[in-house]
Amino acid sequence: MCGIVGYTGGKQAKSILFEGLRRLEYRGYDSAGICVVSPDGELDCVRAVGNLDNLEKVLEGFDMPGTLGIGHTRWATHGAPTESNAHPHLDCSGDIAIVHNGIIENFTRLRHELSERGHTFKSDTDSETLAHLIEEHYRGDLAEALRKGLSQVEGSFAVVAACRKNPGEIVGARRNSPLVVGIAPGEYYVASAVPAFLSRTRTVLFLDDDEILSIGSEGLKIILMDGSEVQRDSAEVGWDIDSAEKGGYEDFMLKEIFEQKKAVEDTLADKFNSRGEIEMEGLDLSGEEARNLRRIIVVACGTSYHAGILAKFLLEKWGCLPVEIEIASEFHFRDLAVAKGDLVIAISQSGETADTIASVKAARKLGARVTSIVNVVGSQMGRDSDDVIYTHAGPEIGVAATKTFTSQMAVMYPLAMSIGLLRGTVSSEICDSVMKELRSIPSKMENVLDFDGTVREVAGKFQNCPDFLYLGRSFGYPIAMEGALKLKEISYIHAEGYPAGEMKHGPIALLDDGVPVVAIATRDSVYDKMINNIEEVKARKAPVVAVTTVGDTRIADICEAVFEVPETMEVLYPLLTVIPLQLLAYHIAKFKGCNVDQPRNLAKTVTVE
Ligand code: F6R
């Protein structure tokens, strides 16, 4: 949550910072601001409440010359989204400006102590504490002041600071919040995520926790909390800038829905060797280790959790061992009975979700092996895990996860199958036939996307319904959950995802002719049971929209609308059935005039517990 940027180089900083913030706006849009160090050594700061359009308007009337600056787009934690709580924050003297992402957990005590020593606070934020701490320790060396200040801080932070007395220097640091450096000839960018500077450079340097970054006339330097210096190599990222642009689509979300074929293809590309055999890049599990596994625990939040439910089903089916699925925000607070012999699979698009990271750390501490499945290269979760498997969905800018969800699910097939093969619990014939069909899924996804127009029509019919119920069984169950989550987060319509068999144990009481039911009813082993559920729904006069297999007239005859997906194997249907539900949520939200890329109250990455 919150996006931060910094720039130093030969160009004017204002527009570069603003462009960087635009690309990070998915991280928060409660308020925004930038600060540029002017040629005569002043800090020019501009802040505005609301999203970046508001900041842009204010900036229009503001000349901000200078080639070094910092910027921030905020998702409010401590303090309401007001201008005084917007970043950058200044110290008392107005010499030092900071932007911060994370939570300073001991800020109440620090603020009290700083106030007693004469510091005056101008905001309600925890972040402002950092500006005052740097001020207290500043003796001309900005990086040293930051290092000393941070030694008093508990919590998580990515922080970038500038000081008018050190006009050519930018400093930063991180702990459990991301901060990455972009390097171009004569220029440096600092940001929460790579898309902030992807149009300018692909050469990046990832900072580790508790490292202090200083970029000045002598170039880039990294120092540790004990004051010693470390060297770090840069790397090249594979993402290209087109993947972070709307490319003619009205919204990022729609573009990302339509990118799913490519996202899944790219994700699968490094899961097979040249002979077409599964070779999971990133997973280093021997046959003996796989056979000795006691159980697998899958942890994740939100949409990634729904991919985790599918993972459980597949791992049980092919790995033939106990698999538990856990919501990360519950998991790490318990007295865990996790031990050596357990494999924890953590799923996260961002690799930054605080609860999933905390779960990874807790599980490793107890002796479990941790494999994470992550989309963002270089993210914290990957570094905290034993193995990292990447989805290669490219940057996802829309706040609602779409292409990263299908990519996460796509990883689960070769992953569960390879664990099954290592354990000797699945045959190579089954593996070959599933993997062959898996490779045909991207082109089938394209067929599903073709009926976007039909989904839009249906969305128009149901746009004013205040409640929806989504039902699915077996492999349809995680998709029902995901369909409901998509609808509620972008259209603000109440929706429940439920295992269809549970409907009679409560939710059926909600049904009447004003509550549409979205049923996942493909031709599979639970098809007849789903038809029974649909009949029960119809008997209560609720309209039914069903996701079915192509040519299914039986269901078409009893439902108000159907979205047909191509025939595939039962286990693979989730990769197809979720697409019409993403489109349904999208079109309903658009009919209602919602901002689908920036739904209210949400941020793309949840870096607080
Ligand atoms: C929903 C959504 C969220 C995320 C959740 C986990 O569309 O995007 O529910 O899935 O915040 O985020 P990651 O996958 O980054 O750990």
Side-chain angles (χ1 to χ4, degrees):
M1 294 147 135
C2 301
I4 62 182
V5 291
Y7 171 76
T8 175
K11 303 196 179 91
Q12 289 300 304
K14 176 183 157 185
S15 56
I16 291 176
L17 293 170
F18 187 78
E19 181 191 315
L21 291 180
R22 267 279 181 233
R23 300 195 185 282
L24 295 184
E25 198 174 9
Y26 63 90
R27 299 178 66 90
Y29 29 86
D30 288 331
S31 65
I34 64 173
C35 175
V36 174
V37 183
S38 73
D40 49 3
E42 292 305 318
L43 296 184
D44 287 337
C45 250
V46 171
R47 305 182 296 182
V49 175
N51 68 14
L52 284 164
D53 293 344
N54 295 354
L55 181 67
E56 189 170 31
K57 279 183 211 131
V58 184
L59 284 174
E60 268 164 22
F62 230 90
D63 194 21
M64 294 175 93
T67 56
L68 183 150
I70 61 179
H72 189 270
T73 181
R74 179 170 187 243
W75 187 86
T77 55
H78 294 65
T82 59
E83 193 179 326
S84 58
N85 287 334
H87 299 221
H89 291 290
L90 300 180
D91 66 336
C92 297
S93 60
D95 290 343
I96 295 162
I98 67 102
V99 287
H100 165 236
N101 169 31
I103 289 196
I104 309 299
E105 275 161 15
N106 57 340
F107 97 98
T108 311
R109 181 170 56 78
L110 288 172
R111 187 177 170 121
H112 177 73
E113 289 168 3
L114 285 158
S115 301
E116 285 203 325
R117 293 197 292 269
H119 290 260
T120 313
F121 283 77
K122 295 174 281 298
S123 78
D124 308 318
T125 65
D126 55 332
S127 307
E128 191 188 342
T129 321
L130 295 172
H132 295 279
L133 283 174
I134 299 173
E135 179 180 29
E136 272 207 338
H137 293 287
Y138 183 76
R139 306 278 182 276
D141 183 336
L142 189 58
E144 185 59 8
L146 177 63
R147 184 180 77 81
K148 287 189 169 147
L150 291 178
S151 67
Q152 294 168 253
V153 165
E154 288 163 20
S156 62
F157 51 77
V159 55
V160 179
C163 175
R164 67 182 195 88
K165 293 182 181 160
N166 303 50
E169 186 178 14
I170 197 162
V171 297
R174 58 158 287 169
R175 181 189 297 160
N176 292 336
S177 283
L179 196 62
V180 54
V181 184
I183 304 171
E187 292 181 310
Y188 292 93
Y189 305 83
V190 192
S192 301
V194 171
F197 51 72
L198 197 54
S199 62
R200 297 173 184 274
T201 181
R202 286 192 199 176
T203 307
V204 301
L205 187 147
F206 295 106
L207 277 193
D208 272 336
D209 277 353
D210 290 314
E211 289 182 345
I212 315 287
L213 167 79
S214 160
I215 304 167
S217 53
E218 288 159 27
L220 182 151
K221 202 165 79 177
I222 300 172
I223 50 174
L224 303 178
M225 288 303 277
D226 64 7
S228 60
E229 204 174 320
V230 281
Q231 300 300 322
R232 179 73 33 79
D233 289 336
S234 59
E236 295 293 310
V237 287
W239 293 356
D240 65 64
I241 189 58
D242 290 348
S243 53
E245 303 276 7
K246 280 191 192 157
Y249 285 87
E250 214 172 306
D251 319 89
F252 278 110
M253 183 180 174
L254 189 62
K255 174 181 176 242
E256 287 158 3
I257 290 174
F258 275 83
E259 277 175 348
Q260 292 186 99
K261 172 182 184 276
K262 182 173 185 310
V264 168
E265 270 168 359
D266 290 352
T267 294
L268 290 177
D270 69 351
K271 311 297 180 280
F272 296 91
N273 64 21
S274 54
R275 294 182 299 282
E277 297 153 348
I278 299 175
E279 215 171 275
M280 295 294 293
E281 174 85 37
L283 182 70
D284 187 19
L285 191 68
S286 69
E288 193 186 346
E289 285 165 327
R291 282 188 294 278
N292 287 339
L293 286 176
R294 270 188 347 149
R295 66 172 166 172
I296 296 178
I297 305 166
V298 184
V299 289
C301 293
T303 288
S304 298
Y305 174 80
H306 300 152
I309 302 176
L310 175 74
K312 170 183 161 72
F313 295 173
L314 298 176
L315 287 159
E316 282 173 348
K317 187 177 175 70
W318 296 322
C320 297
L321 77 170
V323 183
E324 290 161 27
I325 167 80
E326 294 272 3
I327 290 176
S329 54
E330 284 294 315
F331 182 72
H332 66 98
F333 291 107
R334 300 205 304 264
D335 292 328
L336 296 170
V338 172
K340 197 165 183 299
D342 290 336
L343 172 67
V344 169
I345 298 180
I347 308 172
S348 174
Q349 183 285 128
S350 60
E352 277 181 49
T353 301
D355 282 307
T356 317
I357 290 177
S359 300
V360 162
K361 287 184 174 160
R364 276 190 93 189
K365 208 164 158 196
L366 292 167
R369 178 185 181 131
V370 176
T371 297
S372 61
I373 294 164
V374 172
N375 192 46
V376 177
V377 177
S379 57
Q380 181 69 36
M381 205 173 301
R383 282 185 277 169
D384 287 343
S385 305
D386 296 289
D387 307 291
V388 195
I389 299 170
Y390 286 105
T391 50
H392 298 292
E396 188 173 67
I397 311 290
V399 164
T402 52
K403 64 175 179 172
T404 56
F405 177 61
T406 37
S407 301
Q408 287 169 342
M409 290 197 293
V411 167
M412 300 311 166
Y413 298 95
L415 175 61
M417 199 59 94
S418 67
I419 290 177
L421 289 172
L422 286 168
R423 288 170 59 79
T425 47
V426 69
S427 69
S428 55
E429 288 74 28
I430 291 183
C431 174
D432 291 348
S433 69
V434 177
M435 293 304 124
K436 185 164 173 250
E437 180 63 10
L438 177 64
R439 285 157 194 272
S440 75
I441 287 290
S443 63
K444 293 187 177 180
M445 287 176 130
E446 211 159 36
N447 296 345
V448 181
L449 288 162
D450 276 350
F451 54 73
D452 180 40
T454 318
V455 181
R456 190 170 182 278
E457 261 173 48
V458 176
K461 261 194 223 159
F462 293 107
Q463 58 172 302
N464 293 319
C465 297
D467 299 287
F468 278 69
L469 184 63
Y470 284 67
L471 298 177
R473 277 176 184 263
S474 183
F475 291 98
Y477 159 51
I479 301 309
M481 301 288 290
E482 177 59 9
L485 179 63
K486 285 288 90 84
L487 185 67
K488 66 186 130 188
E489 68 184 332
I490 60 167
S491 73
Y492 319 137
I493 292 174
H494 170 244
E496 298 264 2
Y498 241 82
E502 279 291 290
M503 178 183 66
K504 289 193 280 291
H505 300 280
I508 198 164
L510 296 171
L511 297 185
D512 61 28
D513 58 2
V515 181
V517 171
V518 180
I520 292 99
T522 45
R523 234 181 265 118
D524 54 28
S525 64
V526 291
Y527 177 73
D528 288 332
K529 297 265 180 270
M530 278 307 300
I531 295 218
N532 293 346
N533 292 136
I534 290 172
E535 293 290 3
E536 288 153 7
V537 169
K538 297 299 307 171
R540 272 83 195 170
K541 299 195 167 39
V544 179
V545 176
V547 183
T548 62
T549 309
V550 66
D552 187 333
T553 49
R554 194 170 157 202
I555 293 191
D557 285 347
I558 54 171
C559 294
E560 273 60 28
V562 287
F563 305 137
E564 294 183 339
V565 301
E567 183 136 27
T568 187
M569 288 177 172
E570 176 160 1
V571 290
L572 294 169
Y573 271 121
L575 290 165
L576 302 178
T577 52
V578 73
I579 296 173
L581 304 192
Q582 295 167 341
L583 288 169
L584 183 67
Y586 171 82
H587 287 300
I588 291 179
K590 291 298 279 187
F591 277 123
K592 288 172 67 78
C594 301
N595 181 341
V596 296
D597 285 341
Q598 295 175 354
R600 71 183 179 205
N601 303 337
L602 293 174
K604 181 86 186 146
T605 45
V606 182
T607 53
V608 292
E609 289 173 0

